[in-house]
Amino acid sequence: MAFSSEGLVRVYIAAPFALRLLVDYMACELESEGHVITYKWFHAELAMQATPENIGSIRVREIAAAERQGVASADALLVLVAPTGGTGVWIEVGIALASRVPVYAMSARGDGPPPYRSIFDSLCEAQVSSLAEFKGHLVQLKDRADL
């Protein structure tokens, strides 16, 4: 695992489009502790939901490529599991798993570990109950890399 040149943990946060304001808050929390967000898909100028009308557009393709690169270049992926929506989230999880990026799953409601969704849940590094717990895992990742 290659951390950023400053030795900080690079994180990608995957979540349904509808949760982008929560993701923005979480990203600010992580950045305030020195972590790096690899791609801020949730910012207004980048936030675009694919629809049948725009799916083939150059802008949507550029965003998809940037999200793929953001996932692949991360040291950890936090996925917010919601009861509905978030088809792209599972594609991002697949990219992370294929890139050997550790995946941490958390319920989007913040009420404990997420519900079981598929066999691939077993490939998550951990099920976390809160952002604070996820931050603890980031410290452990960094400590392991420093050995």
Side-chain angles (χ1 to χ4, degrees), residues 17 47-61 63:
F17 187 80
M48 177 184 276
Q49 200 164 24
T51 65
E53 293 77 31
N54 70 13
I55 196 66
S57 75
I58 291 171
R59 184 70 185 129
V60 168
R61 292 174 60 91
I63 290 170

Side-chain angles (χ1 to χ4, degrees), residues 34-117:
H35 301 297
V36 176
I37 305 301
T38 58
Y39 185 71
K40 298 179 180 180
W41 61 267
F42 44 86
H43 280 186
E45 66 274 8
L46 300 175
M48 177 184 276
Q49 200 164 24
T51 65
E53 293 77 31
N54 70 13
I55 196 66
S57 75
I58 291 171
R59 184 70 185 129
V60 168
R61 292 174 60 91
E62 290 170 346
I63 290 170
E67 289 183 10
R68 179 183 60 206
Q69 179 58 35
V71 171
S73 67
D75 300 312
L77 180 136
L78 175 62
V79 57
L80 300 181
V81 180
T84 61
T87 303
V89 167
W90 303 110
I91 294 168
E92 292 162 338
V93 167
I95 293 167
L97 292 172
S99 302
R100 302 210 180 279
V101 173
V103 175
Y104 298 84
M106 184 174 105
S107 170
R109 293 186 301 253
D111 58 355
Y116 174 81
R117 296 287 292 249

Side-chain angles (χ1 to χ4, degrees), residues 9 29 31 35 64 71 74 82 88 92 94 98 114 121 124 126 134 143-144:
V9 181
E29 285 285 310
E31 288 178 320
H35 301 297
V71 171
E92 292 162 338
D121 287 359
C124 287
F134 175 65
D143 288 348
R144 276 188 282 179

